[in-house]
Coordinates of all heavy atoms in Angstrom, one line a residue:
M1 N 113.3 31.0 74.9 CA 113.3 31.9 76.0 C 112.4 33.1 75.5 O 111.5 33.7 76.2 CB 114.6 32.4 76.5 CG 114.6 33.2 77.8 SD 113.9 32.1 79.2 CE 113.5 33.5 80.4
K2 N 112.5 33.4 74.3 CA 111.9 34.6 73.8 C 110.3 34.3 73.8 O 109.6 35.2 74.0 CB 112.3 34.9 72.3 CG 112.4 36.4 72.0 CD 112.6 36.6 70.5 CE 114.1 37.0 70.2 NZ 114.2 37.1 68.7
Y3 N 109.9 33.1 73.5 CA 108.5 32.7 73.4 C 107.9 32.7 74.9 O 106.7 33.1 74.9 CB 108.4 31.3 72.9 CG 108.7 31.3 71.4 CD1 109.8 30.6 70.8 CD2 107.8 31.9 70.5 CE1 110.1 30.6 69.4 CE2 108.1 31.9 69.1 CZ 109.3 31.3 68.7 OH 109.5 31.2 67.3
L4 N 108.7 32.4 75.8 CA 108.1 32.4 77.2 C 107.7 33.9 77.6 O 106.7 34.0 78.1 CB 109.2 32.0 78.3 CG 109.0 30.6 78.9 CD1 110.3 30.1 79.5 CD2 107.8 30.8 79.8
V5 N 108.7 34.8 77.3 CA 108.3 36.3 77.6 C 107.1 36.6 76.7 O 106.1 37.3 77.3 CB 109.5 37.2 77.2 CG1 109.2 38.6 77.3 CG2 110.7 36.8 78.0
L6 N 107.0 36.3 75.5 CA 105.8 36.6 74.7 C 104.5 36.0 75.3 O 103.5 36.6 75.3 CB 106.1 36.1 73.3 CG 104.9 36.5 72.3 CD1 104.9 37.9 72.1 CD2 105.3 35.6 71.0
I7 N 104.6 34.8 75.7 CA 103.4 34.0 76.2 C 103.1 34.8 77.6 O 101.8 35.1 77.8 CB 103.7 32.6 76.5 CG1 103.7 31.9 75.2 CG2 102.6 32.1 77.5 CD1 104.3 30.4 75.4
A8 N 104.0 35.1 78.4 CA 103.7 36.0 79.7 C 103.0 37.2 79.3 O 102.1 37.6 80.1 CB 105.1 36.1 80.4
V9 N 103.6 38.0 78.4 CA 102.9 39.3 78.0 C 101.4 39.0 77.5 O 100.5 39.6 78.0 CB 103.8 39.9 76.9 CG1 103.0 41.2 76.3 CG2 105.1 40.4 77.5
L10 N 101.2 38.0 76.8 CA 99.8 37.7 76.2 C 99.0 37.4 77.4 O 97.8 37.8 77.4 CB 99.9 36.4 75.3 CG 100.5 36.9 73.9 CD1 100.7 35.7 73.0 CD2 99.6 37.9 73.2
V11 N 99.5 36.5 78.3 CA 98.7 36.2 79.5 C 98.2 37.4 80.3 O 97.1 37.6 80.7 CB 99.4 35.1 80.4 CG1 98.7 34.9 81.7 CG2 99.5 33.8 79.6
V12 N 99.2 38.3 80.6 CA 99.0 39.5 81.3 C 97.9 40.3 80.5 O 96.9 40.9 81.2 CB 100.3 40.2 81.6 CG1 100.0 41.7 82.1 CG2 101.2 39.5 82.5
V13 N 98.1 40.5 79.3 CA 97.2 41.4 78.5 C 95.8 40.7 78.6 O 94.7 41.4 78.7 CB 97.6 41.4 77.0 CG1 96.5 42.0 76.1 CG2 98.8 42.3 76.9
Y14 N 95.7 39.3 78.4 CA 94.4 38.7 78.5 C 93.7 38.8 79.8 O 92.5 39.1 80.0 CB 94.7 37.2 78.2 CG 93.5 36.4 78.4 CD1 92.5 36.4 77.5 CD2 93.3 35.4 79.5 CE1 91.3 35.6 77.6 CE2 92.1 34.7 79.6 CZ 91.1 34.8 78.6 OH 90.0 34.0 78.8
L15 N 94.5 38.7 80.9 CA 94.0 38.9 82.3 C 93.5 40.3 82.5 O 92.4 40.5 83.1 CB 94.9 38.5 83.4 CG 95.3 37.0 83.4 CD1 96.4 36.8 84.5 CD2 94.1 36.2 83.8
L16 N 94.2 41.3 82.0 CA 93.7 42.7 82.1 C 92.4 42.9 81.3 O 91.5 43.5 81.8 CB 94.9 43.7 81.5 CG 96.1 43.8 82.6 CD1 97.1 44.7 81.8 CD2 95.5 44.6 83.7
W17 N 92.4 42.4 80.1 CA 91.2 42.4 79.2 C 90.0 41.7 80.0 O 88.9 42.3 80.0 CB 91.5 41.9 77.9 CG 90.3 41.9 77.0 CD1 89.9 42.9 76.2 CD2 89.5 40.8 76.6 NE1 88.8 42.5 75.5 CE2 88.6 41.1 75.7 CE3 89.5 39.3 77.0 CZ2 87.5 40.3 75.2 CZ3 88.5 38.6 76.6 CH2 87.5 39.0 75.6
R18 N 90.3 40.6 80.6 CA 89.1 39.9 81.2 C 88.6 40.8 82.4 O 87.5 40.8 82.6 CB 89.6 38.6 81.8 CG 89.6 37.5 80.7 CD 88.2 37.0 80.5 NE 87.4 36.6 81.6 CZ 87.5 35.4 82.1 NH1 88.2 34.4 81.5 NH2 86.8 35.1 83.1
S19 N 89.6 41.4 83.2 CA 89.0 42.0 84.4 C 88.3 43.3 84.0 O 87.3 43.7 84.6 CB 90.2 42.4 85.3 OG 91.1 43.5 84.7
Q20 N 88.7 43.9 82.8 CA 88.0 45.1 82.3 C 86.6 44.7 81.8 O 85.7 45.4 82.1 CB 88.8 45.7 81.2 CG 89.8 46.7 81.7 CD 90.4 47.5 80.6 OE1 90.3 47.2 79.4 NE2 90.9 48.6 81.0
Q21 N 86.5 43.5 81.1 CA 85.2 43.2 80.7 C 84.3 42.9 81.9 O 83.2 43.2 81.8 CB 85.5 41.8 79.9 CG 86.0 42.0 78.5 CD 84.9 42.5 77.5 OE1 83.8 42.2 77.7 NE2 85.4 43.2 76.5
R22 N 84.8 42.2 82.9 CA 84.0 41.8 84.0 C 83.6 43.2 84.7 O 82.4 43.2 85.1 CB 84.8 41.0 85.1 CG 83.9 40.3 86.1 CD 84.8 39.3 86.9 NE 85.5 38.4 86.1 CZ 86.5 37.7 86.7 NH1 86.9 37.8 87.9 NH2 87.2 36.9 85.8
R23 N 84.3 44.2 84.8 CA 84.0 45.4 85.5 C 82.8 46.1 84.7 O 81.9 46.6 85.2 CB 85.3 46.2 85.6 CG 85.1 47.4 86.7 CD 86.4 48.1 86.8 NE 87.6 47.3 87.1 CZ 88.7 47.6 86.9 NH1 89.1 48.7 86.4 NH2 89.7 46.6 87.2
R24 N 82.9 46.0 83.3 CA 81.9 46.6 82.5 C 80.6 45.9 82.6 O 79.6 46.4 82.7 CB 82.4 46.5 81.0 CG 81.6 47.5 80.2 CD 82.1 47.5 78.7 NE 83.6 47.7 78.6 CZ 84.3 47.1 77.5 NH1 83.7 46.7 76.4 NH2 85.6 47.4 77.4
D25 N 80.7 44.5 82.8 CA 79.5 43.7 83.0 C 78.8 44.2 84.3 O 77.6 44.3 84.3 CB 79.7 42.2 83.0 CG 80.1 41.8 81.5 OD1 80.0 42.6 80.5 OD2 80.6 40.5 81.5
L26 N 79.6 44.3 85.4 CA 79.0 44.6 86.7 C 78.3 46.0 86.6 O 77.3 46.2 87.1 CB 80.2 44.6 87.7 CG 80.6 43.3 88.3 CD1 81.7 43.5 89.2 CD2 79.4 42.6 89.0
G27 N 79.0 46.9 85.9 CA 78.5 48.3 85.9 C 77.1 48.2 84.9 O 76.2 49.0 85.3
A28 N 77.1 47.4 83.9 CA 75.9 47.3 83.1 C 74.7 46.7 83.8 O 73.6 47.1 83.7 CB 76.2 46.7 81.8
S29 N 75.0 45.7 84.6 CA 73.9 45.0 85.4 C 73.5 45.5 86.6 O 72.6 45.2 87.0 CB 74.4 43.5 85.6 OG 75.4 43.5 86.5
R30 N 74.2 46.5 87.0 CA 73.7 47.3 88.3 C 72.5 48.0 88.1 O 72.3 48.7 87.1 CB 74.9 48.2 88.7 CG 74.6 48.6 90.1 CD 75.8 49.6 90.6 NE 77.1 48.9 90.6 CZ 78.3 49.4 90.4 NH1 78.4 50.7 90.3 NH2 79.4 48.7 90.3
P31 N 71.6 47.7 89.0 CA 70.1 48.4 88.7 C 70.3 49.9 88.9 O 71.2 50.4 89.7 CB 69.3 47.8 89.8 CG 70.1 47.3 90.8 CD 71.5 46.9 90.0
A32 N 69.4 50.7 88.3 CA 69.4 52.1 88.4 C 69.1 52.5 89.9 O 68.6 51.7 90.7 CB 68.4 52.8 87.5
A33 N 69.5 53.8 90.1 CA 69.3 54.3 91.4 C 67.9 54.2 91.8 O 67.0 54.6 91.0 CB 69.8 55.7 91.6
P34 N 67.4 53.9 93.1 CA 66.1 53.7 93.4 C 65.4 55.2 93.5 O 66.2 56.1 93.7 CB 66.0 53.1 94.8 CG 67.4 53.4 95.3 CD 68.3 53.5 94.1
P35 N 64.1 55.2 93.2 CA 63.4 56.5 93.3 C 63.6 57.1 94.7 O 63.7 56.5 95.7 CB 62.0 56.2 92.9 CG 61.9 54.8 93.2 CD 63.3 54.2 92.9
A36 N 63.4 58.5 94.8 CA 63.6 59.2 96.0 C 62.7 58.7 97.2 O 62.9 58.8 98.3 CB 63.4 60.7 95.7
A37 N 61.5 58.3 96.6 CA 60.4 57.9 97.8 C 60.5 56.5 98.2 O 59.7 56.0 98.9 CB 59.1 58.1 97.1
S38 N 61.6 55.8 97.9 CA 61.8 54.4 98.5 C 61.9 54.3 99.9 O 62.5 55.2 100.4 CB 62.9 53.8 97.6 OG 64.1 54.3 98.3
P39 N 61.4 53.3 100.6 CA 61.5 53.2 102.0 C 63.0 53.0 102.5 O 63.8 52.5 101.8 CB 60.7 51.9 102.3 CG 60.7 51.2 101.0 CD 60.7 52.2 99.9
G40 N 63.4 53.4 103.6 CA 64.6 53.4 104.2 C 65.5 54.7 104.1 O 66.3 55.0 104.7
L41 N 64.9 55.6 103.1 CA 65.6 56.9 102.9 C 65.0 57.9 103.9 O 63.9 57.8 104.3 CB 65.4 57.4 101.5 CG 66.2 56.5 100.4 CD1 65.8 57.0 99.0 CD2 67.7 56.8 100.6
P42 N 65.8 58.8 104.3 CA 65.3 59.9 105.2 C 64.2 60.6 104.6 O 64.3 61.0 103.4 CB 66.5 60.8 105.5 CG 67.6 60.5 104.5 CD 67.2 59.0 104.0
Q43 N 63.1 60.9 105.3 CA 61.9 61.6 104.6 C 61.8 62.9 105.5 O 62.1 63.1 106.6 CB 60.6 60.7 104.8 CG 60.6 59.5 103.9 CD 59.3 58.8 103.8 OE1 58.3 59.4 104.5 NE2 59.3 57.7 103.4
D44 N 61.0 63.8 104.9 CA 60.7 65.0 105.3 C 59.6 64.8 106.4 O 58.5 64.2 106.1 CB 60.2 65.9 104.3 CG 60.2 67.4 104.6 OD1 60.7 67.7 105.8 OD2 59.6 68.2 104.0
M45 N 59.9 65.1 107.7 CA 58.9 64.9 108.9 C 58.2 66.1 109.1 O 58.8 67.2 109.2 CB 59.7 64.3 110.0 CG 60.5 63.1 109.7 SD 59.4 61.7 109.4 CE 58.8 61.3 111.0
V46 N 56.9 66.0 109.4 CA 56.1 67.1 109.9 C 55.4 66.8 111.1 O 55.4 65.7 111.6 CB 55.0 67.5 108.8 CG1 55.5 67.9 107.5 CG2 54.2 66.3 108.6
K47 N 55.0 67.9 112.0 CA 54.5 67.8 113.3 C 53.1 68.1 113.3 O 52.7 69.1 112.8 CB 55.3 68.6 114.2 CG 55.0 68.4 115.7 CD 56.0 69.3 116.5 CE 55.4 69.6 117.8 NZ 56.3 70.6 118.6
C48 N 52.3 67.2 113.8 CA 50.8 67.5 113.9 C 50.7 68.6 115.0 O 51.1 68.4 116.2 CB 50.0 66.2 114.3 SG 48.4 66.5 114.7
P49 N 50.0 69.7 114.8 CA 49.9 70.8 115.7 C 49.0 70.4 116.9 O 49.0 71.2 117.9 CB 49.4 72.0 114.9 CG 48.8 71.4 113.7 CD 49.5 70.1 113.4
V50 N 48.1 69.3 116.7 CA 47.3 69.0 117.7 C 47.9 68.1 118.8 O 47.8 68.4 120.0 CB 46.0 68.4 117.2 CG1 44.9 67.9 118.2 CG2 45.3 69.3 116.2
C51 N 48.5 67.0 118.4 CA 49.0 66.0 119.4 C 50.5 66.0 119.3 O 51.2 65.2 120.1 CB 48.5 64.6 119.1 SG 49.0 63.9 117.4
A52 N 51.2 66.8 118.5 CA 52.8 66.9 118.4 C 53.3 65.7 117.9 O 54.5 65.3 118.1 CB 53.4 67.3 119.7
L53 N 52.6 64.8 117.2 CA 53.2 63.5 116.6 C 53.9 64.0 115.3 O 53.4 64.8 114.6 CB 52.0 62.6 116.2 CG 52.4 61.3 115.6 CD1 52.9 60.3 116.7 CD2 51.3 60.7 114.8
H54 N 55.1 63.4 115.3 CA 55.8 63.5 113.9 C 55.5 62.4 113.1 O 55.5 61.3 113.4 CB 57.3 63.5 114.2 CG 57.8 64.8 114.9 ND1 57.7 65.1 116.2 CD2 58.4 65.8 114.4 CE1 58.2 66.2 116.6 NE2 58.6 66.8 115.5
L55 N 55.3 62.8 111.8 CA 55.0 61.8 110.7 C 55.5 62.2 109.3 O 55.8 63.4 109.2 CB 53.4 61.5 110.7 CG 52.5 62.7 110.2 CD1 51.2 62.1 109.7 CD2 52.3 63.7 111.1
P56 N 55.7 61.2 108.4 CA 56.2 61.6 107.2 C 55.3 62.5 106.5 O 54.0 62.4 106.5 CB 56.3 60.3 106.4 CG 56.4 59.3 107.4 CD 55.6 59.8 108.7
R57 N 55.8 63.5 105.7 CA 55.0 64.5 105.0 C 53.9 63.9 104.0 O 52.9 64.4 103.9 CB 56.0 65.5 104.3 CG 55.2 66.6 103.5 CD 56.2 67.5 102.8 NE 56.8 68.4 103.7 CZ 56.3 69.6 104.1 NH1 55.2 70.0 103.9 NH2 57.0 70.3 105.1
N58 N 54.4 62.8 103.4 CA 53.5 62.2 102.4 C 52.4 61.5 103.1 O 51.4 61.1 102.4 CB 54.2 61.3 101.5 CG 55.0 60.1 102.2 OD1 54.9 60.1 103.4 ND2 55.4 59.3 101.4
E59 N 52.4 61.1 104.4 CA 51.2 60.6 105.2 C 50.4 61.6 105.9 O 49.4 61.3 106.5 CB 51.9 59.6 106.1 CG 52.5 58.3 105.5 CD 52.9 57.3 106.5 OE1 52.6 57.5 107.8 OE2 53.9 56.6 106.2
A60 N 50.9 62.9 105.9 CA 50.1 63.9 106.6 C 48.9 64.5 105.8 O 48.9 64.3 104.6 CB 51.1 65.0 107.0
L61 N 47.9 65.0 106.6 CA 46.8 65.5 106.0 C 46.9 67.1 106.1 O 47.0 67.4 107.1 CB 45.5 65.0 106.7 CG 45.4 63.4 106.6 CD1 44.3 63.0 107.6 CD2 45.0 63.0 105.1
A62 N 46.6 67.7 104.9 CA 46.7 69.1 104.9 C 45.3 69.7 105.0 O 44.4 69.1 104.5 CB 47.4 69.6 103.8
D63 N 45.3 70.9 105.7 CA 44.0 71.6 105.8 C 44.1 72.7 104.8 O 45.0 73.0 104.1 CB 43.7 72.1 107.2 CG 44.5 73.2 107.7 OD1 45.5 73.6 106.9 OD2 44.4 73.7 108.9
P64 N 42.9 73.4 104.6 CA 43.0 74.5 103.6 C 44.0 75.5 103.9 O 44.3 76.4 103.0 CB 41.4 75.1 103.8 CG 40.7 73.9 104.3 CD 41.6 73.2 105.2
H65 N 44.5 75.8 105.1 CA 45.4 76.8 105.5 C 46.9 76.3 105.3 O 47.8 77.0 105.5 CB 45.3 77.1 107.1 CG 44.0 77.6 107.3 ND1 43.4 78.7 106.9 CD2 43.0 76.9 108.0 CE1 42.2 78.9 107.3 NE2 41.9 77.7 108.0
G66 N 47.0 75.0 104.8 CA 48.3 74.5 104.5 C 49.0 73.7 105.8 O 50.1 73.3 105.7
R67 N 48.2 73.7 106.8 CA 48.8 73.0 108.0 C 48.7 71.5 107.9 O 47.8 71.1 107.2 CB 48.1 73.5 109.3 CG 48.4 74.9 109.7 CD 47.6 75.3 110.9 NE 46.2 75.2 110.7 CZ 45.3 75.5 111.7 NH1 45.7 75.9 112.8 NH2 44.0 75.4 111.3
L68 N 49.6 70.8 108.5 CA 49.6 69.3 108.2 C 49.2 68.5 109.6 O 49.8 68.9 110.6 CB 51.0 68.9 107.7 CG 51.3 69.4 106.4 CD1 52.8 69.3 106.1 CD2 50.6 68.8 105.3
F69 N 48.3 67.6 109.4 CA 47.9 66.8 110.6 C 48.1 65.4 110.4 O 48.2 64.9 109.3 CB 46.4 67.2 110.8 CG 46.1 68.6 111.1 CD1 45.9 69.5 110.0 CD2 46.2 69.2 112.4 CE1 45.7 70.9 110.2 CE2 46.0 70.5 112.6 CZ 45.6 71.4 111.5
C70 N 48.0 64.6 111.5 CA 48.3 63.3 111.6 C 47.0 62.5 111.2 O 47.2 61.3 110.8 CB 48.8 62.8 112.9 SG 47.5 62.8 114.2
S71 N 45.8 63.0 111.4 CA 44.5 62.3 111.1 C 43.4 63.4 110.8 O 43.5 64.4 111.1 CB 44.2 61.5 112.5 OG 44.0 62.4 113.5
P72 N 42.4 62.7 110.2 CA 41.3 63.5 109.8 C 40.6 64.2 111.1 O 40.2 65.3 111.2 CB 40.3 62.7 109.2 CG 41.0 61.5 108.8 CD 42.2 61.3 109.7
E73 N 40.7 63.3 112.2 CA 40.1 63.9 113.6 C 40.8 65.2 114.0 O 40.2 66.2 114.4 CB 40.1 62.9 114.6 CG 39.3 61.7 114.3 CD 39.8 60.7 113.4 OE1 41.1 60.7 113.2 OE2 39.1 59.9 112.8
H74 N 42.2 65.1 114.0 CA 42.9 66.3 114.4 C 42.8 67.5 113.5 O 42.7 68.5 114.0 CB 44.4 65.8 114.7 CG 44.6 65.0 115.9 ND1 45.8 64.5 116.2 CD2 43.7 64.7 116.8 CE1 45.7 63.8 117.3 NE2 44.4 63.9 117.7
R75 N 42.7 67.2 112.2 CA 42.5 68.3 111.3 C 41.2 68.9 111.6 O 41.0 70.1 111.5 CB 42.5 67.7 109.7 CG 42.4 68.7 108.9 CD 42.5 68.3 107.4 NE 41.6 67.2 107.0 CZ 41.6 66.5 106.0 NH1 42.5 66.9 105.0 NH2 40.8 65.5 105.7
A76 N 40.1 68.1 111.8 CA 38.8 68.7 112.1 C 38.8 69.5 113.5 O 38.2 70.6 113.5 CB 37.8 67.6 112.2
S77 N 39.4 68.9 114.4 CA 39.4 69.6 115.7 C 40.3 71.0 115.7 O 39.9 71.9 116.3 CB 40.1 68.8 116.8 OG 41.4 68.5 116.5
A78 N 41.2 71.1 114.8 CA 42.1 72.2 114.7 C 41.2 73.4 114.0 O 41.5 74.5 114.2 CB 43.3 72.0 114.1
N79 N 40.3 72.9 113.2 CA 39.5 73.9 112.2 C 38.0 74.2 112.8 O 37.2 74.7 112.3 CB 39.4 73.3 110.9 CG 40.7 73.4 110.1 OD1 41.3 74.4 110.1 ND2 41.1 72.3 109.6
R80 N 37.9 73.7 114.0 CA 36.5 73.7 114.7 C 36.5 75.2 115.2 O 37.4 75.8 115.7 CB 36.4 72.7 115.8 CG 35.0 72.4 116.3 CD 35.0 71.3 117.2 NE 35.3 70.0 116.5 CZ 35.8 68.9 117.0 NH1 36.2 68.9 118.3 NH2 35.9 67.9 116.4
Ligands
ZN1 ZN1 47.6 64.7 115.7

C-alpha cells in the first residue's frame, strides 16, 4: 500500500512537470509580436483637404506646408 501512494505521487509530479515543459515550449515557439505597421491594425488616418477622402497616413502625399493629400493631382490643385 505504501508503494501505491509513492507511485501516485510520482505520477502526479511527472504530470505536473510535463505540463510545465509543454507550457514553456509553447511560450518559446510563439512568434514575436508583429511590427506596428502590419496590416489589420488601426492606422492613423488623414483627410485629403481637396476631396475629403480619408486615407492612411503612410499612403498620403505631403506638400511643402505639411498638408497631406490623397493623390499628386490634389496636392498640385491645392498649391495652384
Ligand atoms: Zn483628394
Side-chain angles (χ1 to χ4, degrees):
M1 192 60 196
K2 219 192 254 179
Y3 290 109
L4 249 165
V5 174
L6 185 64
I7 288 169
V9 169
L10 284 175
V11 167
V12 168
V13 168
Y14 174 73
L15 289 175
L16 283 173
W17 178 76
R18 276 289 303 271
S19 69
Q20 276 193 339
Q21 285 281 332
R22 197 174 306 165
R23 206 172 303 156
R24 200 181 306 163
D25 287 350
L26 281 174
S29 64
R30 193 176 299 155
S38 74
L41 289 173
Q43 289 190 11
D44 196 9
M45 299 296 279
V46 296
K47 186 175 158 186
C48 174
V50 176
C51 66
L53 179 80
H54 285 83
L55 69 160
R57 182 179 287 276
N58 61 354
E59 291 177 21
L61 298 166
D63 74 353
H65 307 289
R67 291 179 298 180
L68 295 164
F69 299 91
C70 68
S71 62
E73 291 81 18
H74 286 175
R75 181 174 58 182
S77 69
N79 289 308
R80 202 168 288 154

